[in-house]
Amino acid sequence: MSKVALITGITGQDGAYLAEYLIKKGYIVHGIKRRSSLFNTERIDHLYQDPHIENRNLILHYGDMTDSLNLTRIIGEIQPDEVYNLAAMSHVKVSFDSPEYTANADGIGVLRLLEAIRLLNLTKKTRFYQASTSELYGLVQEIPQKETTPFYPRSPYAVAKLYGYWITVNYREAYDMHASNGILFNHESPLRGETFVTRKITRAIARIAMGMQQKIFLGNLSAKRDWGHAKDYVRAMHAILQQDEPSDYVIATGITTTIRDFLIMSFAEIGVTLDFQGEGVNETALLNNIDEKVFNKKVGEAFLANFKQRIGEQLVGIDPVYFRPTEVELLIGDATKAQTRLNWKPEYDLPALIEDMMQYDIKLMKRESYLKDGGYSVLNYFE
Ligand code: NAP
Ligand code: G4F
């Protein structure tokens, strides 16, 4: 008999990678998607099966983390072996604009799922994974951060996730549930949402290189993040639920990098160096040099002449609109427990992650502008 999993947030970055991973392992995967006026399943369209097909291994249900009745009905119908709660309003900056909604979806939403499992008498059958986050460490109390490091959340998002973390621990202890937290540090991929800083950068660089965008405006370039690849991190989620005992795990690479260095490394991926000038809100980066061989190979010869004309021009600026009222300046995780107990370690390092994201965004932008590799020049196309 195939195991049955329910993934909330299946249309998001992690949901898509996890669904693919579980289907490959022979699971029947159910996912909750929100009703939207536009299609919102782009990340899982390759897994989609027509509802008229028998024995589907991917089944989608309309639902929302703010709707208890809906969540309870879906869990009652599916009777899942494993629930992965990945649904959340996951953008830290946006949580300052929508704090109440964030608390409802990201905090109380976790309770709704746990309570549904309890009320449906599924506590012995259904294992529960909560998508906890390194944002819980916020104003860090210890370097590096591990499972025993005290939390100090710094945003409405992180405070909501703090509730989610502790209610998961509480249901484990109170009702003997197999309920665990994965405290995941930042993980990225070509499927990352376009407004998170890594994807914002790789997408903008592809567009700038092809003449589709002049410059990119960012916020705090000095913050440091421990970045891994989402593909590696969903393996950890699954492994956590396969353990005999539930527990909480830090998942991280153990290496931290500034946003500024991520930017430099991403431009370097297409053979471009930057000339940084100024400080704080006046910091700026100009186009310094182009390694033509690398640029031609990674972006395409058709774009070179146009881009070369921009040497000395500004490519990066600071816009304080992207600053947060309270910032998380440094995250670096110690995943020793996961390495020891789950035998988990990441396959991607940061350069490999950046290469994957840059390659994807260059391909995507070529498709968007209907330009074929080595085809028309950008100027010819837009003239
Ligand atoms: P994501 O790409 O933003 O995906 C979030 C998912 O949640 C989407 O499917 C979204 O649906 C869904 N969602 C949002 N609000 C919902 C609601 N009220 N009801 C139902 N579904 C809702 O996030 P991600 O990067 O995959 O992250 C997955 C989870 O891990 C999140 O809980 C996040 O907070 C947590 N996390 C992420 C990281 C990271 O670095 N990526 C690190 C630690 C923890 P739509 O597609 O309709 O928007
Ligand atoms: O990419 P970010 O928006 O991710 P952040 O805030 O670290 O949150 C992500 O990781 C968490 C895990 O630690 C998850 F729980 C959460 O759901 C989300 O996936 O910002 C990273 C850093 C911040 O310090 C931010 O101030 O980049 C800085 N930054 C600088 N300029 C920017 C920008 N962030 C964004 N989004 N946009 C900018 O222009």
Side-chain angles (χ1 to χ4, degrees), residues 185-224:
F185 283 60
N186 296 51
H187 46 280
E188 321 291 314
S189 75
L191 300 187
R192 184 60 143 154
E194 290 87 347
T195 60
F196 296 96
V197 76
T198 55
R199 186 78 199 289
K200 182 173 166 181
I201 289 172
T202 57
R203 194 170 174 275
I205 292 176
R207 291 172 61 82
I208 289 169
M210 292 182 202
M212 298 163 78
Q213 179 174 330
Q214 285 296 298
K215 46 182 106 163
I216 176 174
F217 285 97
L218 294 164
N220 178 8
L221 298 186
S222 300
K224 290 181 165 179

Side-chain angles (χ1 to χ4, degrees), residues 103-133:
N104 193 0
D106 299 13
I108 307 297
V110 188
L111 174 70
R112 292 186 179 103
L113 289 174
L114 289 163
E115 193 58 0
I117 293 169
R118 189 174 78 89
L119 295 177
L120 292 162
N121 291 321
L122 292 170
T123 50
K124 293 285 163 279
K125 172 182 168 73
T126 304
R127 296 183 171 197
F128 182 80
Y129 172 88
Q130 167 58 12
S132 284
T133 164

Side-chain angles (χ1 to χ4, degrees), residues 14 83-87 106-107 109-111 113-114 127-137 146-149 151 157-173 177-185 187 233-243 245-252 334-335 337-338 341-342 344:
D14 292 4
V83 172
Y84 295 87
N85 180 33
L86 309 186
D106 299 13
V110 188
L111 174 70
L113 289 174
L114 289 163
R127 296 183 171 197
F128 182 80
Y129 172 88
Q130 167 58 12
S132 284
T133 164
S134 50
E135 282 288 307
L136 294 172
Y137 299 118
K146 50 182 187 283
E147 290 80 3
T148 51
T149 303
F151 297 139
Y157 166 78
V159 174
K161 284 283 186 178
L162 187 74
Y163 180 84
Y165 174 93
W166 282 115
I167 201 68
T168 300
V169 173
N170 183 242
Y171 270 58
R172 173 166 84 217
E173 293 173 355
M177 281 178 66
H178 196 296
S180 302
N181 286 286
I183 308 171
L184 272 53
F185 283 60
H187 46 280
Y233 286 43
V234 300
R235 282 194 288 111
M237 295 177 189
H238 178 253
I240 289 170
L241 289 202
Q242 308 320 304
Q243 301 307 298
E245 297 301 326
S247 193
D248 308 314
Y249 295 87
V250 160
I251 305 295
D334 174 356
K337 180 175 170 185
R341 291 211 205 162
L342 308 177
W344 177 87

Side-chain angles (χ1 to χ4, degrees), residues 5-7 10 23 28-32 47 49 55-61 78:
L6 172 65
I7 304 176
I10 194 165
I23 286 171
I28 294 172
V29 173
H30 293 257
I32 295 183
L47 303 171
Q49 291 167 323
N55 302 323
R56 282 183 294 159
N57 53 19
L58 179 72
I59 299 139
L60 298 179
H61 307 258
I78 297 172

